[in-house]
Amino acid sequence: MTNKITCYTKLFVILLISIFAHAQRQTEKIQIIDYQLLEAQKLRINNGDEIAVNTYNHLIKKANSLLTIKGFSVVHKTGLPPSKDKHDYMSIGPYWWPNPNTSDGLPYIRKDGEINPETRNNYTDFAEIDNFFSAVKTLKKAFYYSDDVKYANKNLELINTWFLNEETKMNPNVNFGQSIPGKNSGRCFGIIEFGGLLEVIEFLELARDKNILGNAIESGMFTWFTEYSNWLKNSELGREEATRKNNHGTHYDAQLLSVLVYLNKIEEVKNYLSTTTKARIFSQIEPDGSQPLELARTKSFSYSVMNLHGFLELAIIGQKVGVDLWNIASEDGRSIKKGYEFILPYITKQKEWQYKQIKDRKHSEEKLISDLRHACKQFKDNSFDKVLQQLN
């Protein structure tokens, strides 16, 4: 009898441990931030790696210069959106220029790949948000690598100014992004200008994990992201951007799903990746790995790399929620990996790029190699080891 009781007790304890472990796994929060990547760089810095230390010193210098700025805001622009509300974000399509055949320059005409300087001044919000996202990224890294809370506190201040402060906050919509003077007040393409929200999300996750994210900012940002994700999914421009068949659709997915992960809507993310994003991969990448809609651009190499980067972001999100996008392939061979296979011979000099590329592609080549190295580590895939060693 004693042996039976002992056996039952052991079984009961094992059952409790199993239930507890399962419950713990269920409550583990899925995050966008990649601590493994950050920690690897921090280790290189602490071990005195020359390149890592020099990069760190440059980062800290830049972060220190940000400590004295007052903040970034949509209300700083000199222009006024059609809504007459400065809290609404607005920008002008970068490749649209004054019409030389009309007295007032309207309607603007398109020059693909050629950026009109007018779209990058303080009349619109583009430069302001670009600087804001850059500052958040810099301060996030400076905080993680140095463990100095002053960088985190500055980031919290900047985030509060952009999103939450009543006098300076941005309304959660992009109704007036990438407008074309003389044609429209805003287009769906403006949504891509908010890819930097990923940096904000990563910092908020880091601040929460470090117990320095106050309730006011946490609840405020949860509300802002909820309203913004609803706008992305339900507004006319949001729904239109979701149907784009090129890099705009890819980066729409990456942006929306990053926000939904932060909001802990994991089942919605899994369903979206398994259907919409999977179909997007197969429709945009040909069996030979080419991306026709990106190859048709005047910066075809750059846009091909940009789109692959978006797919990589989506594959990493998929890995976090249990949806494998990195290894899936259509029956005729379309896949993300095939996209990389197509473009790599052009940077190993085995082939000469035969498509239009009006700008230097060095930055895009570096981005491609960096992304592929990251992908191989992330997915423990040695398929590209030989070519990466060659490029090294």
Side-chain angles (χ1 to χ4, degrees):
M1 177 63 77
T2 303
N3 288 339
K4 282 187 177 181
I5 292 173
T6 302
C7 181
Y8 288 143
T9 301
K10 287 181 179 179
L11 287 172
F12 181 68
V13 171
I14 291 171
L15 180 62
L16 284 178
I17 292 173
S18 176
I19 291 172
F20 176 75
H22 177 73
Q24 190 175 38
R25 284 195 299 270
Q26 291 294 100
T27 56
E28 284 179 357
K29 193 168 183 63
I30 294 171
Q31 296 181 304
I32 293 298
I33 191 168
D34 188 341
Y35 281 119
Q36 199 172 17
L37 197 64
L38 287 168
E39 193 57 32
Q41 181 66 4
K42 188 174 185 177
L43 186 62
R44 284 191 285 270
I45 295 167
N46 292 339
N47 287 340
D49 178 271
E50 184 178 355
I51 295 176
V53 170
N54 288 339
T55 302
Y56 171 75
N57 290 336
H58 178 73
L59 174 76
I60 293 300
K61 183 178 180 180
K62 187 176 178 182
N64 287 337
S65 71
L66 292 169
L67 295 175
T68 56
I69 62 173
K70 291 185 178 181
F72 306 96
S73 169
V74 287
V75 302
H76 292 165
K77 59 179 170 286
T78 59
L80 187 65
S83 62
K84 310 301 181 187
D85 185 353
K86 280 248 184 173
H87 294 276
D88 283 329
Y89 178 88
M90 72 175 236
S91 65
I92 297 173
Y95 303 146
W96 292 84
W97 294 71
N99 192 330
N101 299 319
T102 60
S103 58
D104 59 0
L106 301 177
Y108 275 28
I109 60 172
R110 189 169 185 263
K111 300 180 183 179
D112 187 35
E114 299 180 37
I115 295 176
N116 176 3
E118 177 191 1
T119 68
R120 298 297 185 252
N121 61 29
N122 65 352
Y123 178 79
T124 72
D125 292 306
F126 180 85
E128 189 84 351
I129 198 171
D130 194 46
N131 290 332
F132 168 61
F133 287 147
S134 176
V136 170
K137 181 178 182 179
T138 297
L139 291 166
K140 176 196 72 177
K141 288 185 174 182
F143 170 53
Y144 190 87
Y145 297 147
S146 71
D147 294 312
D148 193 330
V149 74
K150 68 184 178 186
Y151 300 118
N153 288 335
K154 186 62 182 182
N155 242 354
L156 292 171
E157 178 189 320
L158 295 181
I159 288 170
N160 184 67
T161 299
W162 186 275
F163 294 104
L164 303 176
N165 181 281
E166 286 296 324
E167 294 181 359
T168 58
K169 68 180 182 181
M170 172 190 161
N171 293 330
N173 69 73
V174 193
N175 289 324
F176 309 110
Q178 290 210 13
S179 64
I180 303 174
K183 285 193 174 184
N184 55 57
S185 60
R187 300 179 299 153
C188 66
F189 305 114
I191 292 170
I192 204 169
E193 295 174 356
F194 282 78
L197 282 176
L198 180 70
E199 300 297 339
V200 176
I201 290 171
E202 288 188 357
F203 172 73
L204 291 172
E205 291 173 339
L206 173 60
R208 181 172 55 204
D209 292 343
K210 295 287 188 178
N211 296 315
I212 59 171
L213 182 61
N215 290 334
I217 288 185
E218 184 169 22
S219 62
M221 289 307 302
F222 191 91
T223 298
W224 196 95
F225 278 131
T226 298
E227 293 177 358
Y228 181 64
S229 65
N230 288 337
W231 181 88
L232 283 175
K233 292 186 289 184
N234 302 313
S235 68
E236 182 180 345
L237 294 182
R239 291 197 305 269
E240 183 183 354
E241 184 76 341
T243 67
R244 297 301 90 188
K245 301 184 185 302
N246 64 352
N247 65 84
H248 276 271
T250 307
H251 286 274
Y252 170 90
D253 285 3
Q255 187 182 141
L256 172 63
L257 298 183
S258 295
V259 172
L260 293 180
V261 167
Y262 182 78
L263 297 175
N264 205 30
K265 297 185 176 182
I266 305 305
E267 286 305 314
E268 185 176 349
V269 172
K270 290 168 68 174
N271 291 335
Y272 194 103
L273 287 169
S274 301
T275 54
T276 303
T277 301
K278 181 180 176 181
R280 202 183 294 285
I281 294 169
F282 295 165
S283 67
Q284 290 192 32
I285 301 176
E286 292 295 298
D288 67 350
S290 63
Q291 303 169 71
L293 293 178
E294 311 310 328
L295 294 178
R297 304 297 297 271
T298 58
K299 295 188 290 186
S300 57
F301 186 91
S302 301
Y303 274 100
S304 294
V305 171
M306 177 187 178
N307 201 36
L308 286 175
H309 177 76
F311 280 132
L312 176 58
E313 287 185 331
L314 289 164
I316 291 173
I317 293 174
Q319 186 185 51
K320 292 174 185 290
V321 301
V323 177
D324 187 359
L325 294 181
W326 178 250
N327 292 301
I328 63 166
S330 65
E331 290 184 3
D332 59 355
R334 302 161 189 263
S335 70
I336 297 174
K337 286 202 281 189
K338 185 67 75 171
Y340 281 103
E341 289 174 8
F342 172 84
I343 204 168
L344 281 174
Y346 296 102
I347 58 175
T348 57
K349 310 307 179 187
Q350 291 175 278
K351 293 182 180 179
E352 186 175 343
W353 192 253
Q354 55 188 314
Y355 309 95
K356 199 165 186 179
Q357 177 70 23
I358 64 173
K359 302 290 184 181
D360 183 78
R361 72 184 207 193
K362 182 182 177 182
H363 174 74
S364 295
E365 289 182 349
E366 292 171 348
K367 181 65 177 172
L368 176 71
I369 297 169
S370 174
D371 279 356
L372 191 53
R373 290 187 195 284
H374 180 46
C376 291
K377 289 180 182 178
Q378 186 79 28
F379 302 106
K380 296 178 173 56
D381 188 331
N382 60 5
S383 305
F384 298 96
D385 283 0
K386 187 175 181 181
V387 69
L388 285 174
Q389 288 171 4
Q390 180 184 344
L391 290 167
N392 193 46

